[in-house]
Every structure is written in C-alpha cells, then in structure tokens.
Amino acid sequence: MEGSVPAPGQASRIDTTIPHSARTWNYWLGGKDNFAIDRQVGDQIREIYPDIVDIARNSRAFLGRAVRHLVGEAGVRQFLDIGTGLPTADNTHEVAQRLDPSCRIVYVDNDPLVLVHARALLVGAAEGATAYIDADVRNPDKILAIAAETLDFDQPVAIMMLGILGQVLDDTEADAIVRLLLAAVPSGSYLVFEDGTRMVHPEAADRAARLRAEAGDPYRLRSPEEAARFFEGLHLLEPGIVSVTRWRPAPGPDGPPAEVDALGAVGRKP
C-alpha cells in the first residue's frame, strides 16, 4: 500500500481483498492511495473500457465548474459532499474557499482510509469550516444530524452527490435518500448530481459494471430518464441532465467536447 498508514483502530476496518470504488477512482486519477486489488480491478475495467479514465477526470472537472457556479453566481456558502472519495486536487472545499474563504463544507464517506486522509488533508480556510462525517449514504438521518453541527440548515446548502447514488442499487431507496436530504434544506438549496450511465458506449459500460459486481463492488448505471427522478420538484439548471463534459464547459475552438458515460446536473430547490 502506498500513501498514509491508517490508525490502528481504522486499519482493522479496511478489507484489502475487496476493491473499493473510492480507491479505484483514486487510481484512475493517478493517485497513490489504493491497494493491489483496487489497481487490479481498475486495470481490468480500463482494458475493456478505456474511457473510464476520461470519465474520472471529466467528473472531477464537472465538480469544479458546478461549485464555482454555486459560489460565484448562486451565492451558496455551504456544501454537504456525500461520497467524498479520496482527496485529490481541487476538492470541494478548495474550489469553494478559493472564491470565498468563509464557505463551510462537510464531507461524508464510509471508507476508513478516506477518513484518515480527510482528517489529514481536507483542511480548509480558517475563515470557514471543513468537517468530515464517517457515515454511509444509506443513513441520511445520521448524516444530517452530525452535519448540523457545522452547517446552518436555515441557510441554503448544496448537496453534492457525485459518483455515490450508483452505489445504491435500488431505485426506490436511492430516491428516498435524496428526498430526505432535500427535505432538510431550505429554499435556495441545490442538488449537484453526477453518476455513471451507458448512453455513449453501452456495451463497454455494461461489461465494466459486470466486472465490478463480480469483484464485489456493484454499481448501478442509470439513464438520463432514471436520473431525472432525483430532480422532481427542483428547478433544473441549464443545460439539464447531460454528459458531464457538456455541463457548461469552457468554450473551445473545436465546438462542444465529446460526451462520456457520466451524467451531471444541478437543480435548485424552489
């Protein structure tokens, strides 16, 4: 294992025989915080689905554009980032506090290795706040209760759910989680969504999903229509639910960027 060594109490919770999505994602992004099993599965997926590395990088770029819009144009100063993953470059608090150091960010993940790195690396500006919750997305009540120690739920909050709802295989459960989280935040709050799909390279995406499931890390790919249910009752910002590369990209000389198998969208609670 490369990178930091977990604390004794957390090390016992890390299973190095089963791949973890956060660590595999970290590997695709060029990070060092992953185990041999994560690299093995990551290489197998990349072999049958070469676009996966582009998906990882473009998803991170989407995060940056969404956060910059919310802070710079929408005036949001609070973020609840669920499914943080391992720290890389331009994490939510870095992007937000670069624009306004008073921003407050709460990260949520359930991987003990992420917890170690979060406490060590996810340190924000003194004017704002950066906190971390060790919790599963399937326990939104716990997340909200602890997040309330850092965030003011009487003021708008951006709920960041990037690459996490695919971990919730049941559509009804996933929708219920989103509904509960949105019910806890006031008008003017936002949902930022990103997750895998199969609209660009369906066969390769399906093969990669089967490989993940066989390795013990199942992931639910959703169509734009299936993802739309998470935005019911919200005002969906333009351009809607699209490939992450097509969500407000910087103008380029060659026209719109190529689509990838990751959907991105931002919705405002009226």
Side-chain angles (χ1 to χ4, degrees):
M1 171 67 192
E2 300 175 353
S4 300
V5 178
Q10 292 153 339
S12 61
R13 292 176 51 201
I14 300 176
D15 189 341
T16 62
T17 66
I18 298 176
H20 191 281
S21 57
R23 300 193 303 261
T24 304
W25 202 256
N26 175 265
Y27 174 55
W28 287 329
L29 286 170
K32 297 181 178 180
D33 299 308
N34 42 74
F35 292 104
I37 186 62
D38 306 306
R39 296 189 288 272
Q40 176 185 333
V41 172
D43 286 339
Q44 291 172 346
I45 292 176
R46 183 164 55 184
E47 183 176 347
I48 64 175
Y49 194 18
D51 285 357
I52 195 64
V53 174
D54 284 340
I55 289 173
R57 292 171 180 169
N58 281 299
S59 295
R60 173 59 54 154
F62 164 74
L63 179 153
R65 295 196 301 275
V67 172
R68 284 192 294 272
H69 169 78
L70 291 176
V71 176
E73 299 183 41
V76 175
R77 296 296 181 268
Q78 301 190 110
F79 294 82
L80 179 58
D81 189 335
I82 304 174
T84 306
L86 285 152
T88 56
D90 280 342
N91 301 287
T92 298
H93 77 282
E94 293 172 317
V95 178
Q97 293 181 346
R98 197 176 295 143
L99 292 170
D100 187 333
S102 71
C103 288
R104 307 176 73 84
I105 296 88
V106 173
Y107 289 108
V108 183
D109 210 292
N110 69 337
D111 183 342
L113 186 60
V114 176
L115 176 60
V116 171
H117 285 273
R119 286 176 172 164
L121 300 177
L122 297 181
V123 180
E127 300 92 328
T130 306
Y132 183 88
I133 299 174
D134 183 13
D136 192 288
V137 65
R138 296 171 183 81
N139 194 347
D141 289 319
K142 175 182 177 181
I143 292 171
L144 291 168
I146 301 177
E149 298 173 6
T150 302
L151 304 178
D152 178 359
F153 283 108
D154 290 328
Q155 299 297 320
V157 177
I159 301 172
M160 312 283 291
M161 305 195 79
L162 279 67
I164 187 63
L165 284 171
Q167 308 290 331
V168 184
L169 307 185
D170 182 77
D171 288 346
T172 301
E173 181 183 13
D175 187 57
I177 291 169
V178 173
R179 294 299 122 215
L180 197 154
L181 291 168
L182 286 170
V185 296
S187 173
S189 294
Y190 288 81
L191 172 65
V192 182
F193 165 88
E194 178 272 320
D195 240 321
T197 187
R198 57 186 299 280
M199 65 181 188
V200 181
H201 299 293
E203 293 183 4
D206 288 342
R207 288 198 300 270
R210 285 195 296 270
L211 180 59
R212 288 186 64 164
E214 292 167 0
D217 185 28
Y219 188 89
R220 170 83 159 87
L221 299 173
R222 291 186 170 93
S223 68
E225 292 74 23
E226 289 169 324
R229 67 185 295 170
F230 301 132
F231 290 89
E232 290 179 3
L234 302 183
H235 171 66
L236 196 59
L237 273 59
E238 293 292 338
I241 302 171
V242 295
S243 168
V244 290
T245 57
R246 299 287 179 91
W247 198 90
R248 305 191 177 192
D254 300 321
E259 294 183 300
V260 297
D261 275 320
L263 297 171
V266 178
R268 183 182 185 277
K269 182 176 178 177

